[in-house]
Amino acid sequence: MDSAPGLLFLCCSCICPCFQSRRKDTEDAVLVKESNSLAPASSAEMGSVSGKIAASPLRVPPSPGRFSMSPKLDRIGSVHLTMRQVARATQNFSPSMKLGEGGFGTVYKAQLQDGQMVAIKRASKENSDALRSEFRSEIELLAKIEHRNLVKLLGYVDKGNERLIITEYVPNGTLREHLDGIHGSYLDFSQRLEISIDIAHGLTYLHSYAGKQIIHRDVKSSNILLTERMRAKVADFGFARVGDNEAGKTHVMTKVKGTVGYLDPEYMRTFQLTPKSDVYSFGVLLIEILTGRRPVESRRSPEEKVTVRWAFGKYSDGEAMELVDPQMREAVDPTIFKKMLNLSFQCAAPTRADRPDMQSVGEQLWAIRMKYLQLGREE
Ligand SMILES: *[C@@H]1O[C@H](CO)[C@@H](O)[C@H](O)[C@H]1NC(C)=O
Ligand SMILES: *[C@@H]1O[C@H](CO)[C@@H](O)[C@H](O)[C@H]1NC(C)=O
């Protein structure tokens, strides 16, 4: 356990040329690694290492009815816009409407004529062609899923060299922004617990979707959006793909994609993708939620740079309570806090066989929540 995150970090440093900084924060770099060569991050074509298993998410049999995936289909969901309407709704992609950077481009807030707020993600022009498969992937997947902890697709535009995805607007920024306190206050413990449960529920739904597993592949705090009531929704399905849980197949071979610090070390080593890679990322994210620290804190001393390793060391030395995010004002119950840490380390186990599945994670968090509420009543 102890050495694995270090290995991961080392490994990440070697493939540094592939980093593509997507956010203001350079620690939040996106990693794209090919099995046999180091590809530039813009080469986002979904590749397959094993010729036996087709890598394209498009191989999912089309689902019936209105979600049938004919290439001509450009009417998913309820919002249908022309480019002119999109330009008006985003004030011509005004920087003042910009919400952030997503998997393949910039996300804007937009107001439709009926007053409804939506989010519109626009593929960056230079990446437009290279990222076409990611665009298709995101649409195909989003079109089929509906869950209160997953951002909902409302429509899309695929015309000329413009590719836009229209989703519901989630008003309260990202989880990372709230951990940084940039919305004016910090999350308290019970909010953090509820948010963790929401994310676990969203991922459980993805992983068990209609007998096919959908693997998100980029679970991280800047991809978790918060509602006005501080409930969480998982966003940005640009890297998502469909796993293969047919009899006898336990994984798909694929290029490694994801974000440094959250990437499953076993996936990086073997290129075998399973839902357990999301479980690993969730474990890293849970530690981030509890400590407030980013997965990689490059400005800290060597022993504190990789948060999972630092946290595991403290936890093992009986100093778990030193891990509590100093921004949490209230007293955090040590038993509850340690239970959550224990769960996060199980999720971030170096070997996927040692990680629980997402459903079990949700159930364990739910049990922790029961205990937490009981304690509150006893006081
Ligand atoms: C966002 O969350 C804060 C708490 O940090 C809350 O006070 C505020 O009302 C929320 N804002 C919106 C737009 O929902
Ligand atoms: C978590 O708790 C279980 C049972 O309470 C224990 O067996 C396990 O060793 C713990 N894991 C860690 C990483 O401490």
Side-chain angles (χ1 to χ4, degrees), residues 311-374:
F312 190 71
K314 286 270 179 204
Y315 176 85
S316 309
D317 292 347
E319 295 169 345
M321 295 315 283
E322 288 179 28
L323 298 171
V324 177
D325 184 348
Q327 302 298 346
M328 275 193 277
R329 295 292 161 81
E330 75 273 36
V332 177
D333 180 82
T335 316
I336 301 287
F337 191 75
K338 285 180 203 160
K339 274 186 194 292
M340 286 184 78
L341 281 172
N342 178 303
L343 181 58
S344 66
F345 294 130
Q346 285 178 47
C347 292
T351 320
R352 62 172 178 254
D354 296 332
R355 299 174 203 148
D357 64 23
M358 219 51 233
Q359 179 164 354
S360 159
V361 173
E363 286 163 3
Q364 291 184 62
L365 283 170
W366 197 251
I368 292 172
R369 181 177 181 274
M370 293 284 277
K371 187 137 190 152
Y372 172 76
L373 293 176
Q374 274 164 14

Side-chain angles (χ1 to χ4, degrees), residues 289-309:
I289 290 171
L290 296 171
T291 65
R293 291 198 185 184
R294 290 174 164 74
V296 181
E297 294 255 326
S298 49
R299 280 178 293 274
R300 292 190 191 265
S301 63
E303 59 277 8
E304 295 193 18
K305 271 193 183 11
V306 179
T307 299
V308 181
R309 189 169 44 179

Side-chain angles (χ1 to χ4, degrees), residues 74 76-83 85-86 89-90 104 107-108 110 112 116-122 135 138-139 142 151-158 163-169:
D74 58 2
I76 302 174
S78 54
V79 175
H80 313 295
L81 297 177
T82 63
M83 266 318 283
Q85 289 168 321
V86 168
T90 57
F104 69 86
V107 188
Y108 297 88
L112 305 183
Q116 185 190 357
M117 297 301 294
V118 297
I120 298 185
K121 186 156 70 164
R122 185 192 205 189
F135 178 82
E138 182 157 4
I139 300 245
L142 273 174
V151 167
K152 187 170 155 52
L153 177 76
L154 300 174
Y156 73 93
V157 176
D158 188 359
R163 280 187 250 302
L164 308 168
I165 289 181
I166 305 162
T167 63
E168 73 176 303
Y169 173 63

Side-chain angles (χ1 to χ4, degrees), residues 172 178 185 228 230:
N172 218 344
H178 283 269
S185 62
E228 65 285 342
M230 306 303 276

